[in-house]
Amino acid sequence: MENLTKILSGLPLGGLRFYETVGSTNDEALAWAADGAKDLSLVVADEQTLGRGRLGRKWFTPPGAALAFSLIIRPRGVERENIGLFSGLGALALVDALEKHGIVAEIKWPNDVLIRRRKSAGILAETVWLGNEVDSVVLGMGVNVTFESVPPLEGLNFPATCIESEGAISLPRFDLLKNLLEELIEWRPRLASGELIQAWESVLAFRGETVRVWEGKTEPITGQVAGLETDGSLRLRLNGGEIRVIRFGEVHLRPL
Ligand code: BT5
């Protein structure tokens, strides 16, 4: 914790809580948000025993191997109408931070960061509502750093990797966290500017390639990844050339 506090000391965090072991940093952050946490309060864990993905899926975070954190954001101004862009903001911040360390990464829509087409990070953004108003967004991110962080093959719905496998043996995870948060804080004022969407689109995985997308339990739609809408929805070009917009929700995307 001392080391982490020191590394993050230059950042304008609202607060910092570190756990050696926790169920889920998102759960801790949701509880803290309900308890009045300030904007940019951060929950970090060394190990998660109940790490969550979307739709109740599990996220694997063994001790000492990964980055697992949740950032509490109190949206203000135009951010309030653009909360759907926060997971893209997190993904882009990670891609930019990795680039600084010479690692090329891409964003698999909607919420994964891939290195060499394998999943190295997942994002779970959860919104706390007060009536019709957004109270806070909890931006949870799990990043695989060392070999031990990569889950066993069985139970994986997409191939996984970690930063260490990609040649960055000497990238300490809390330094990466600092870089990621710096990028995120720098991008945040441009959340709704169109610039973020442009940057996100430029690192979109499978761009121009044919993929299959499942929305809920329906039959998959096949099309080419054409880009993003201004709200972060995915544009898919169908066989006839027509564009189909896929919104966030219960979606899965796979290369063909
Ligand atoms: C995600 O869900 O990718 C979002 C993961 C968010 C995790 C962070 S960690 C900090 C914070 N606290 C939490 O409790 N959660 C957030 P989804 O797209 O549903 O992908 C989940 C699927 O990814 C699982 O069903 C597995 O197949 C696979 N998976 C699980 N752990 C993995 C890992 N460490 N690396 C790669 N794939 C993994």
Side-chain angles (χ1 to χ4, degrees), residues 17 27 65 76 101 104 138 162 179 193 205 210 239:
R17 290 184 182 172
D27 289 343
R76 48 191 185 225
H101 294 279
V104 178
V138 166
C162 64
N179 295 149
S193 69
T210 303
N239 267 344

Side-chain angles (χ1 to χ4, degrees), residues 24-25 48 52-54 57-60 119 122 144 155 157:
S24 151
T25 56
Q48 293 187 114
R52 295 192 279 117
R54 294 176 302 152
R57 287 192 286 262
K58 292 199 172 83
W59 185 259
F60 180 72
K119 181 160 172 170
N144 298 338
N157 56 11

Side-chain angles (χ1 to χ4, degrees), residues 23-27 48 50-55 57-62 67-70 111-112 119-124 139-144 149-151 155-161:
S24 151
T25 56
N26 263 36
D27 289 343
Q48 293 187 114
L50 294 168
R52 295 192 279 117
R54 294 176 302 152
L55 306 163
R57 287 192 286 262
K58 292 199 172 83
W59 185 259
F60 180 72
T61 319
L67 255 186
F69 68 90
S70 301
N111 67 323
D112 297 339
K119 181 160 172 170
S120 61
I123 300 176
L124 179 66
L139 184 63
M141 296 184 62
V143 186
N144 298 338
S149 66
V150 180
L156 276 186
N157 56 11
F158 196 84
T161 189

